[in-house]
Amino acid sequence: MQHMSKKNSAKSAKPARNSKHRGQGTPSAGPLRTYTIRDYRLEKPSFAIRQIRKGDEVRYEVEGSLDSPVPPIRESKYLTQQQHIEIYRWMLLNRKMEQALENLYKQGKVVGGVYFGLGQEACSCASAFALRKEDWLGPLIRNQGSLLARGFAPRDVMMQYMAKAGSPTKGRDASSHFGDLQERNVVAPISTLGDLIPVLAGVALGARLQGRNIAAMTYIGDGGQSTGVTYEGINFAAVQNLGLVLFVENNLWGYSTPADMQFRVQDLAERAIAYGIPGVIVDGTDACQVYDAAHQACERARRGEGPTLIEAKMMRMKGNAIHDAAEYVPKPLFEYWKKRDCIARFENYLVKVRKWLTLQENDKLIADVDRQLEEDRDYAVASPMPEPESAAGGVYCENGCHEIKPKYGMPRAGNRASLRPGRPGAAPHLT
Ligand SMILES: Cc1ncc(C[n+]2csc(CCOP(=O)(O)OP(=O)(O)O)c2C)c(N)n1
Ligand SMILES: [Mg+2]
């Protein structure tokens, strides 16, 4: 796999350390180096969002054309017909679960706010779908589809938002701050943006010390990627060749700040060049592109070749959370991205383009998702709130209350050798 090629200067005619994975640029005599980023997209939007100030008033306008035709779905190199349909089902479940959560919120049943990933379901679901059981996931709060694809049920998410006793945190947290370190290998979202990156790099490091190279996938937004800890986490993973798979979800807004006012690089995937790791761009509304890039990055991680940064371009189709009506977003931008809706386009691809689902099969699949959601919602609504006296339980680890076992085996001193930088693929082995 060749994501980034780097034309070395004459000085580096001898293969660079780790050159196989950094790029295979032909050594050139000139003073200029060139770098390339693999871009899977079938459409490259040509507009920007500009701030207009009039007195105290601030608003945003789109500059450029929003008239381009909607791109087709890119054919996947890896997914089977059945896997396409599975991803489509996760996306539907993701969207409809969030619609149900919005209704529960409006009925006053939710404690706290609700965060939506509307328009980003392909990115959440198809990325997590590329993980294997032994891999790890560190979702952000918007990646509720990743949680579903990783094996959580809609009732878990719903009970969590309603702070029910049966929720993953037993009512100790509203919204989606939960994971599962035992069975599903999921680290809970961390709201301090960027902090998940070194944590997931650490997970990959821990696995390697126990004799296994795994993929450790996490996400960061266009806003959150500016934090210092993002740099530290990616750099650490890069230097140690850790199997971090980082999705940079460029959904054009960080709260009410447009991406065009947050960074000067053209594409956030370009950041990868400076870390010395592969950078990839995908259309985040195309599940096939998301899956293929995730699959390649996970395979690379499992071979012990190090991290990959994948920029997924899309649009946050709601405000930051339910309280934010996103009034600051220019209306034509919503219309543009609505035409690129990830579910409608994937449905059209499966039903009309590939003809892998008949209309009846599609209707049945949608009805099955609706039925599952109805059951889960009823279960979650009917389930009890926690008993007040349970509030302090499970907060502190009481002596011997649970055992923390290594996941893949006992750490061995011999595995340290594989941590030496510049030894991609050095398969650690238990001695
Ligand atoms: C380190 C840190 N700074 C600020 C915040 C407050 N905050 C919460 S969401 C948000 C916007 C994040 O935007 P982005 O990273 O683009 O993610 P998106 O909401 O678009 O998915 C901010 C600034 C935070 N959670 N963590
Ligand atoms: Mg954003």
Side-chain angles (χ1 to χ4, degrees), residues 222 251 253-254:
D222 47 277
N251 60 10
W253 299 89

Side-chain angles (χ1 to χ4, degrees), residues 186-198:
V186 176
V187 178
I190 305 176
S191 281
T192 352
L193 297 170
D195 279 11
L196 269 176
I197 300 170

